Amino acid sequence: MKQLLDQTSGNAVKLWQTVWSPTHVTMRRWALAAVVVNAGITVSGAAVRVTSSGLGCPTWPRCTPDSFVPVAHNETAPINMAIEFGNRMLTFLVLAVALACLVIAMRLLPRRRDLVRLAWIQPVGVAAQALWGGLVVRSLLNPVTVSVHFLISSGLIAAAYALYARSREGDAPPRRLVHRDIRTLGFALTATVFALLIAGVVVTGTGPHSGDQLASRFQFDIESVVRVHTDLVYVVLGLTFALLFATHVTDAPGHVRRAALTLLIVELAQGGVGYVQYFLGVPAALVDLHVLGSTLVWICTLRVVFAMRSRDPLNATAADLDELDTVRT
């Protein structure tokens, strides 16, 4: 037991050192962690909804009117309360990673203003998201508030990925690695994917799995909104295929072509899940898997956009080189 405690203490010290005495390598790692935890809480939020646990903690910021933690409640099943409370606790993990990114960006030498600005978005965004979550509960899961809740998470993922991408680069002006029209196509694809996310939350707010029997629904025709969502899927697939084709015929850098191919594969897999869940009557497990897929599509789209341009290579410091040697060994 003592050995385990000593090892845990040592790992905690090393983890703290990566924050308080940062290098460019640790900046990248924590920024990537921010992408992962923001994606994770997005998926866990969907799990809350599909398990009808949206009002498992019927008040906010307390879980119940008299307690911040789950206690026996006549109107709520213990499992639903545990799921919702668990999702709330994940917020503290996301906040911890966000604060770590901010501290690292401010202590990194030489300090880079762009990284500091991007890092500030993380804790501020998490705080705003937590407050908005309170509005979601107090509005009894109104579909508008639930939809915005998801889209805020998508914005935080984008900001975290931007922090990750910029932490790998220098501060020179961006330089295109592909033809100007191909980069424009990438921007159009990004906008269309975000429109697809919006259409997705409208479908979610119209269909089943509201999160609780007290929740209201959008008063749209479900077939119509699904059709719009499906049409946008085909547009996204067409734009992605066009982007992949263009990068190959223009002999774009290999990492750009690989990023576009990865995006297309993830989109096809996501489309397959979407069709299966539709024909099976929208089972809860597949809905959560579909949310995971939409999050991965968004991340892969951001990866493509950032891959199509470059800046001067980041000048590695001695500490960075030492850490890279440690990673290799």
Side-chain angles (χ1 to χ4, degrees), residues 44 48 57 70 81-91:
S44 72
V48 170
C57 288
M81 187 174 291
I83 292 172
E84 164 62 4
F85 185 74
N87 186 64
R88 290 189 183 189
M89 290 300 97
L90 278 180
T91 302

Side-chain angles (χ1 to χ4, degrees), residues 94-110:
V94 180
L95 180 60
V97 175
L99 291 173
C101 287
L102 178 59
V103 172
I104 291 171
M106 297 186 70
R107 289 188 59 81
L108 189 65
L109 296 176

Side-chain angles (χ1 to χ4, degrees), residues 192-244:
T192 308
V193 169
F194 190 72
L196 179 61
L197 294 179
I198 295 175
V201 297
V202 173
V203 172
T204 297
T206 305
H209 305 300
S210 62
D212 191 272
Q213 60 182 358
L214 296 178
S216 59
R217 303 273 76 199
F218 286 128
Q219 298 304 308
F220 299 124
D221 176 63
I222 185 63
E223 294 292 338
S224 297
V225 293
V226 168
R227 189 175 301 111
V228 171
H229 182 68
T230 304
D231 290 343
L232 281 172
V233 169
Y234 286 126
V235 173
V236 167
L237 285 171
L239 290 174
T240 305
F241 182 81
L243 182 66
L244 179 61

